[in-house]
């Protein structure tokens, strides 16, 4: 089968490799992949990796390079192993890519699987990933989707789960005012998730005007801010009730200036949620954290039990995740038309899906 594999930074190759066995091991499922998204994490691996891809065999999965990329994907069940229930050949599915011990781990024993010390991910630290024709997964990684959900939307459940969890961590609720820093795919999805949660006033900041324009095309009432031209905090306060700032600020860049803008813009006793991954330590004004009596909360991935809820949000139309997709490409052109296009500083592309059905 064809697969896109990471060999080293700037060295991704579409190769012909042996496909998984047609008879899955007990507890596992063979998937014929249909669509897979290129995630910001994949881009970081391509540009600077290996980061999450293990240099030595992963302590839980044993996986190591060359790694098949892709953790935002869905497909169709081709075969099921012994002991698998609730899944049948022909089922259309979305993949929940987190892989970890199911017991005997402090966090797993408490249902906090996403916090497991031995956490692995399909497409990063598991032998199989979404950027290939087939993948073998544990049954707990596979969730059926309803007829009203498209194959493309199945590949968007994973990034949508990230942003739904971020909104939950921030306590976004009906009538809330929310600032999102970063109008990339996660930032724009966060805006959509905040609106689905009932947020009445939305702000988004980014230094790329094309991405701000795209955000306005999806949500015409969103207030867009380019921090190169306007101080984020000043503009948010000027447009907020009582000029006090927003209720929740969600950082979706992994940039120290964006985090500081969140701290500045949020009201007293507001909440700042850190979703973007910072590449290094980031000093912030801790006097303001104390003086404003705010919460700063991390948001790591998502609880694995979110999948049915996020599927319902997308299938119902409340979270129109498909609207963030700007391009669909074939696997053979994934590097030049996908990874390189998304790393283009002009930011003309937002979310690219690789179509494996061709």
């Amino acid at each position: 089968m064809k697969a896109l594999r990471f060999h080293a930074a700037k060295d991704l190759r579409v190769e012909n490799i042996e496909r998984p066995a047609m008879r899955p091991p007990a507890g596992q499922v063979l998937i014929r992949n249909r669509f897979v998204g290129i995630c910001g994490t994949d881009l970081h691996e391509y540009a600077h990796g290996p980061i999450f891809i293990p240099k030595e065999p992963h302590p839980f999965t044993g996986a190591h390079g060359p790694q098949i990329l892709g953790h935002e994907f869905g497909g169709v069940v081709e075969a099921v192993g012994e002991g698998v229930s609730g899944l049948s050949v022909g089922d259309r599915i979305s993949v929940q890519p987190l892989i970890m011990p199911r017991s005997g781990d402090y966090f797993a024993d408490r249902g906090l699987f996403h916090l497991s010390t031995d956490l692995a991910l399909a497409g990063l630290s598991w032998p199989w990933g979404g950027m290939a024709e087939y993948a073998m997964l544990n049954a707990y990684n596979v969730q059926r989707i309803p007829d009203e959900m498209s194959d493309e939307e199945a590949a968007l459940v994973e990034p949508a789960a990230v942003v739904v969890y971020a909104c939950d961590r921030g306590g976004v609720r009906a009538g809330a005012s929310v600032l999102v820093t970063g109008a990339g795919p996660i930032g724009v999805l966060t805006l959509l998730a905040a609106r689905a949660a009932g947020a009445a006033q939305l702000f988004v900041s980014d230094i790329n005007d094309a991405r701000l324009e795209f955000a306005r095309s999806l949500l015409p009432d969103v207030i867009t801010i380019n921090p190169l031209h306007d101080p984020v905090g000043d503009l948010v306060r000027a447009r907020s009730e009582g000029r006090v700032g927003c209720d929740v600020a969600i950082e979706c860049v992994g940039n120290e200036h964006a985090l500081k803008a969140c701290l500045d813009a949020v009201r007293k006793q507001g909440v700042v949620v850190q979703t973007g991954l910072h590449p290094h330590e980031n000093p912030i004004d801790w006097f303001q954290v104390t003086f404003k009596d705010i919460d700063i909360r991390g948001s790591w991935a998502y609880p694995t039990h979110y999948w049915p809820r996020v599927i319902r949000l997308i299938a119902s139309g409340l979270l129109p995740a498909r609207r963030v997709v700007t391009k669909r490409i074939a696997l053979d052109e994934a590097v030049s038309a996908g990874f390189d296009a998304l790393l283009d500083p002009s930011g003309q592309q937002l979310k690219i899906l690789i179509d494996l059905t061709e």
Side-chain angles (χ1 to χ4, degrees), residues 28-49:
Q28 295 193 2
V29 180
L30 178 66
I31 304 299
R32 174 67 166 93
N33 300 332
R34 285 193 166 172
F35 285 89
V36 57
I38 301 175
C39 175
T41 303
D42 298 321
L43 294 177
H44 289 311
E45 294 290 346
Y46 174 53
H48 308 293

Side-chain angles (χ1 to χ4, degrees), residues 27-317:
Q28 295 193 2
V29 180
L30 178 66
I31 304 299
R32 174 67 166 93
N33 300 332
R34 285 193 166 172
F35 285 89
V36 57
I38 301 175
C39 175
T41 303
D42 298 321
L43 294 177
H44 289 311
E45 294 290 346
Y46 174 53
H48 308 293
I51 302 169
F52 290 108
I53 294 173
K55 299 179 181 68
E56 302 294 333
H58 189 277
F60 179 60
T61 67
H64 59 100
Q67 173 68 52
I68 301 172
L69 291 179
H71 58 275
E72 302 177 355
F73 65 111
V76 179
V77 174
E78 289 277 310
V80 297
E82 183 180 352
V84 174
S85 60
L87 292 168
S88 302
V89 173
D91 284 346
R92 297 166 58 245
I93 60 91
S94 173
V95 171
Q96 181 285 107
L98 304 189
I99 296 163
M100 74 300 290
R102 305 301 285 172
S103 63
D105 173 281
Y106 179 90
F107 295 102
D109 288 343
R110 289 156 177 79
L112 301 170
F113 297 107
H114 66 301
L115 301 180
S116 170
T117 304
D118 288 326
L119 185 69
L121 281 87
L124 285 172
S125 44
W126 175 254
W128 311 104
M131 295 184 190
E133 295 179 71
Y134 293 88
M136 190 81 77
L137 297 155
N138 298 302
Y140 66 78
N141 294 116
V142 179
Q143 180 73 43
R144 284 192 300 177
I145 61 173
D147 292 341
E148 55 267 32
M149 176 177 273
S150 70
D151 292 333
E152 291 186 13
E153 289 171 323
L156 296 168
V157 176
E158 198 278 344
V162 170
V163 302
V164 169
Y165 185 48
C167 288
D168 285 354
R169 290 288 285 158
V172 178
R173 58 184 179 176
S177 60
V178 178
L179 164 68
V180 175
T181 54
I186 290 298
V188 173
L189 278 171
T190 301
L191 291 171
L192 295 175
R195 178 53 53 83
Q201 186 178 41
L202 296 173
F203 302 87
V204 63
S205 67
D206 200 289
I207 61 173
N208 186 304
D209 287 326
R211 289 193 162 180
L212 294 176
E213 182 179 353
F214 184 81
R216 286 193 299 271
S217 74
L218 299 187
L219 293 160
D221 63 334
V222 68
I223 300 167
T224 56
I225 310 166
N226 186 325
L228 297 179
H229 308 310
D230 297 293
V232 176
D234 288 351
L235 197 149
V236 171
R237 280 186 291 275
R239 301 291 292 270
S240 65
E241 181 184 1
R243 295 180 176 267
V244 296
C246 57
D247 300 315
V248 182
I250 304 177
E251 202 284 292
C252 296
V253 184
N255 175 281
E256 65 178 87
H257 301 293
L259 177 56
K260 289 172 181 175
C262 287
L263 175 61
D264 181 31
V266 77
R267 63 167 171 79
K268 291 184 177 181
Q269 288 203 334
V271 180
V272 173
V273 179
Q274 181 58 52
T275 301
L277 297 176
H278 284 248
H280 50 73
E281 292 184 4
N282 179 2
I284 62 173
D285 186 348
W286 286 100
F287 176 82
Q288 288 298 319
V289 174
T290 304
F291 177 71
K292 296 178 76 170
D293 202 22
I294 65 171
D295 289 347
I296 298 180
R297 300 174 184 169
S299 182
W300 169 250
Y302 34 74
T304 57
H305 65 260
Y306 269 42
W307 242 246
R309 174 187 170 197
V310 176
I311 286 172
R312 287 194 301 271
L313 279 168
I314 295 175
S316 69

